[in-house]
Amino acid sequence: MKTKIKPKYVIAGVLILAVLFIFSSIVLNYSIKPNETYRVNKDNLIEDGSFENFNKTVADCCSFESKIAYISASRSLNKIEGDYSLNLTSSNRCACVYFPIKNFSNTNNYLLSFYYMGDNPRFCNWVDGDRKCLPDTRFEQTKEWQEYTTALVFTNNSKDALIHFYADSDGTKTVTNFYDGLKVHKLIPIKNTREYQYNQDEEYIIKTKTDNNIKGDMISEIDAKTGEAYFITKGEPKVTIKFPWSEVMIVIIMILVVVRLVFKKENDKIVC
């Protein structure tokens, strides 16, 4: 005579399988592979990025009104590395100088970094072909040297890239900004990340979703479509999912249901 399996044990078995599936999924997907991983080439693609031999002529980069420009660009002993920094000063209109990225190719991504200080520091990565800044960033006034780092990404239309620094004045006061340590490094894609031998003392650039746990600093704006951004990490990149509270709560509820089904005593039927 076959023993009939009680429905409650069938339900309990299904729930146990579901719990195991959810748990294994969490474990297997806990560590995430970044969508893009790069190592940083050591060559600086900016000529005289520390401004030790600076001899450029200052330009007026304002595109509004035709007033007389009182602007200057010079070396300064107020520096953070090397012997000099760049001093841009304006009493009216927009003092600017620019520095091209050597051996530029729009198929490459780049790591940009520099130090800034002053009344209203601003930089623009002007890209010919796209005819716009990628990006254009204004900084708050600061009396201490600050470091800025970002990833530069280009389009198929990009033909050349020129790093611009500014000192902007509306004519009501003199504005002075300092810049130093300008560096642009080519990013080399790492295709086989599982077998790559990471150096724990070197920096790497990764692209991943910002809602993950990332051991590193974000260096780009968040892509509105994908929710991804570029991060700089030291040593092997480590990316994990955020703690899955919702999944854990579902598992706990399932376990409680299983316990209830298995250990609940059945009431004897009363025959009238």
Side-chain angles (χ1 to χ4, degrees):
M1 184 178 179
K2 293 183 178 180
T3 305
K4 187 177 180 181
I5 301 176
K6 296 181 179 180
K8 70 174 185 178
Y9 293 120
V10 175
I11 297 173
V14 171
L15 290 175
I16 290 172
L17 290 175
V19 168
L20 292 174
F21 175 79
I22 295 173
F23 182 75
S24 60
S25 177
I26 291 173
V27 172
L28 291 174
N29 296 315
Y30 184 70
S31 294
I32 299 172
K33 180 182 176 182
N35 290 336
E36 299 174 17
T37 304
Y38 302 89
R39 66 179 178 86
V40 182
N41 185 277
K42 294 183 179 180
D43 295 333
N44 186 5
L45 300 179
I46 297 295
E47 191 73 35
D48 191 29
S50 292
F51 313 108
E52 304 303 294
N53 302 301
F54 178 77
N55 60 0
K56 289 179 176 289
T57 301
V58 66
D60 178 11
C61 288
C62 280
S63 59
F64 56 90
E65 301 181 1
S66 57
K67 294 181 179 179
I68 298 175
Y70 298 100
I71 53 179
S72 66
S74 62
R75 294 189 302 179
S76 170
L77 292 174
N78 189 347
K79 42 79 177 180
I80 191 169
E81 65 176 44
D83 294 324
Y84 301 98
S85 69
L86 169 64
N87 176 326
L88 284 177
T89 297
S90 173
S91 296
N92 192 46
R93 297 181 65 81
C94 309
C96 78
V97 292
Y98 66 85
F99 304 86
I101 298 177
K102 296 186 297 184
N103 303 318
F104 172 77
S105 172
N106 62 20
T107 61
N108 296 324
N109 294 342
Y110 298 85
L111 179 67
L112 165 75
S113 64
F114 60 85
Y115 295 93
Y116 66 89
M117 177 175 65
D119 296 310
N120 58 1
R122 176 166 72 97
F123 109 95
C124 155
N125 174 40
W126 176 258
V127 183
D128 287 337
D130 298 275
R131 296 197 58 77
K132 62 181 179 180
C133 296
L134 297 172
D136 185 354
T137 304
R138 299 175 183 270
F139 304 100
E140 297 292 334
Q141 181 181 26
T142 174
K143 295 182 180 180
E144 302 291 337
W145 284 106
Q146 306 292 331
E147 185 176 16
Y148 176 77
T149 303
T150 191
L152 300 180
V153 181
F154 298 90
T155 74
N156 293 332
N157 297 323
S158 304
K159 295 180 180 179
D160 201 1
L162 307 172
I163 306 300
H164 286 67
F165 290 133
Y166 302 87
D168 303 332
S169 174
D170 60 5
T172 60
K173 65 177 182 179
T174 298
V175 169
T176 299
N177 296 325
F178 299 91
Y179 303 91
D180 204 359
L182 173 59
K183 301 179 182 67
V184 173
H185 296 277
K186 181 181 175 181
L187 298 181
I188 311 299
I190 299 175
K191 296 182 179 179
N192 192 347
T193 56
R194 294 185 180 277
E195 297 183 5
Y196 186 81
Q197 298 297 315
Y198 292 94
N199 186 331
Q200 297 306 310
D201 294 325
E202 291 185 357
E203 292 180 325
Y204 299 89
I205 307 301
I206 63 172
K207 186 179 183 182
T208 189
K209 286 185 175 295
T210 56
D211 58 359
N212 293 326
N213 290 317
I214 301 106
K215 190 177 181 181
D217 298 318
M218 188 166 68
I219 59 169
S220 73
E221 294 182 356
I222 301 173
D223 189 311
K225 294 182 179 179
T226 65
E228 297 176 326
Y230 287 92
F231 292 80
I232 186 167
T233 68
K234 194 167 186 179
E236 182 176 359
K238 297 186 183 301
V239 182
T240 58
I241 61 173
K242 289 191 179 296
F243 191 80
W245 287 107
S246 58
E247 288 87 347
V248 169
M249 291 303 299
I250 292 172
V251 168
I252 291 174
I253 292 172
M254 287 182 172
I255 292 174
L256 292 175
V257 172
V258 170
V259 171
R260 175 70 174 170
L261 288 171
V262 173
F263 294 101
K264 179 183 178 183
K265 293 182 180 180
E266 294 186 6
N267 295 322
D268 295 330
K269 292 182 179 181
I270 299 174
V271 180
C272 297

